[in-house]
Amino acid sequence: MDELVHCAVNNGIATITLDSPHNRNALSAQLRRELREHLSAAIADDAVRVIVLDHTGPVFCAGMDLKESRSADAQNQGVQEFPAILEQLWTSPKPVVAKLAGPARAGGVGIVAACDIAVAVDTATFAFSEVRIGVVPAVISVTVLPRLNARQAHELFLTGETFDAHRATEIGLLNAAVAADRLDAEVQRYADMLALGGPRALAATKEMLTAQRPAKMSEAFAQMLELSAEFFAGEEGQEGMRAFAEKRTPSWVPENLR
């Protein structure tokens, strides 16, 4: 059986490509399994600094594979892999950039929301289409709802309305919507900026951004002071400050960006 997800590493960037255009990169059991495996490998690879999630064909991801979901064995298809994939993207210590040359629907939008940065062509469209086929956008809500305000979430989850890339940017689902001829350059710009950060600092910053804060401000400050002190005194922080003083790039920056 041909592989539906590929991974290539170049200059510290792991590009993971969904390659199932025959069904619009739907989240079939095979695609889910291979995506999870490639994400695990990229996260574990010390040579990888940034992960870019790409696709072939005109559609980024159409959501769950409804043909499989209609089968008699739908309950036993390993759908638990999908929450695991969203959690991998959300908690990855390496920043993840979603690159959309086309639309996303349902579970595909959940993947976009789970990534740290999302860039799409300005012709891309999006929809939480679950209610229109009588199901609930339950699993994807875990990654989507933190990106949207409550009013937008209620409207789009309940109506299933299709919306464009410009609105997706306005409501916080995308970082940028660009012309098709600028997509590669914009994704590369984000990937290069992310690669300039210290690997441990990036991982800790991601964790900080999603962690639940204590109710008391004094406790929050105490936690953040401890985190700050750890990194100022740590090997990576000391190297970064030496590099700044010596007017050179830190040792972790990939060769092609020095």
Side-chain angles (χ1 to χ4, degrees), residues 23-27 59-66 103-109 129:
N23 66 352
R24 303 186 302 166
N25 291 315
L27 295 162
V59 176
F60 175 74
C61 179
M64 297 303 290
D65 188 325
L66 296 183
R105 294 290 185 272
V109 187
S129 50

Side-chain angles (χ1 to χ4, degrees), residues 70-93:
R70 291 197 305 269
S71 72
D73 195 38
Q75 292 296 319
N76 300 310
Q77 291 176 352
V79 292
Q80 297 89 347
E81 289 172 341
F82 187 50
I85 288 166
L86 296 180
E87 186 171 0
Q88 274 184 302
L89 294 166
W90 190 270
T91 63
S92 165

Side-chain angles (χ1 to χ4, degrees), residues 1-255:
M1 188 176 294
D2 292 338
E3 189 179 56
L4 300 182
V5 183
H6 316 297
C7 183
V9 179
N10 185 37
N11 289 325
I13 299 173
T15 301
I16 298 176
T17 304
L18 309 182
D19 186 20
S20 185
H22 70 280
N23 66 352
R24 303 186 302 166
N25 291 315
L27 295 162
S28 64
Q30 181 187 346
L31 187 143
R32 295 195 306 268
R33 182 178 65 255
E34 293 177 5
L35 176 56
R36 190 176 180 188
E37 290 170 355
H38 282 302
L39 282 169
S40 295
I43 290 169
D45 187 348
D46 289 339
V48 172
R49 300 293 313 287
V50 180
I51 299 170
V52 173
L53 191 55
D54 200 353
H55 66 101
T56 64
V59 176
F60 175 74
C61 179
M64 297 303 290
D65 188 325
L66 296 183
K67 183 179 290 187
E68 287 186 350
S69 298
R70 291 197 305 269
S71 72
D73 195 38
Q75 292 296 319
N76 300 310
Q77 291 176 352
V79 292
Q80 297 89 347
E81 289 172 341
F82 187 50
I85 288 166
L86 296 180
E87 186 171 0
Q88 274 184 302
L89 294 166
W90 190 270
T91 63
S92 165
K94 299 170 183 184
V96 185
V97 181
K99 176 183 177 183
L100 289 81
R105 294 290 185 272
V109 187
I111 288 176
V112 173
C115 296
D116 300 289
I117 304 289
V119 182
V121 292
D122 52 14
T123 55
T125 59
F126 304 84
F128 303 105
S129 50
E130 287 88 345
V131 293
R132 295 197 178 188
I133 60 168
V135 298
V136 178
V139 172
I140 67 167
S141 71
V142 177
T143 58
V144 172
L145 292 183
R147 305 295 189 197
L148 311 184
N149 68 42
R151 184 66 71 186
Q152 303 282 2
H154 278 241
E155 174 192 346
L156 296 171
F157 272 48
L158 292 171
T159 65
E161 179 186 23
T162 299
F163 55 100
D164 64 21
H166 294 296
R167 187 172 187 195
T169 304
E170 291 172 357
I171 65 177
L173 184 63
L174 295 178
N175 294 85
V178 299
D181 61 359
R182 288 184 50 214
L183 181 62
D184 289 346
E186 187 69 356
V187 170
Q188 188 66 51
R189 185 177 75 87
Y190 275 112
D192 288 347
M193 287 193 294
L194 291 166
L196 295 176
R200 290 190 65 248
L202 285 169
T205 300
K206 276 199 62 170
E207 187 175 356
M208 179 196 69
L209 286 167
T210 57
Q212 186 171 1
R213 294 294 177 96
K216 285 188 175 181
M217 184 177 286
S218 59
E219 293 178 6
F221 277 129
Q223 284 186 3
M224 292 302 101
L225 280 170
E226 183 179 353
L227 178 63
S228 180
E230 176 189 345
F231 275 82
F232 267 95
E235 182 179 342
E236 196 172 271
Q238 290 295 308
E239 161 60 12
M241 289 183 282
R242 281 195 303 271
F244 179 81
E246 295 167 7
K247 295 182 170 54
R248 61 175 175 82
T249 55
S251 58
W252 62 72
V253 174
E255 289 289 342

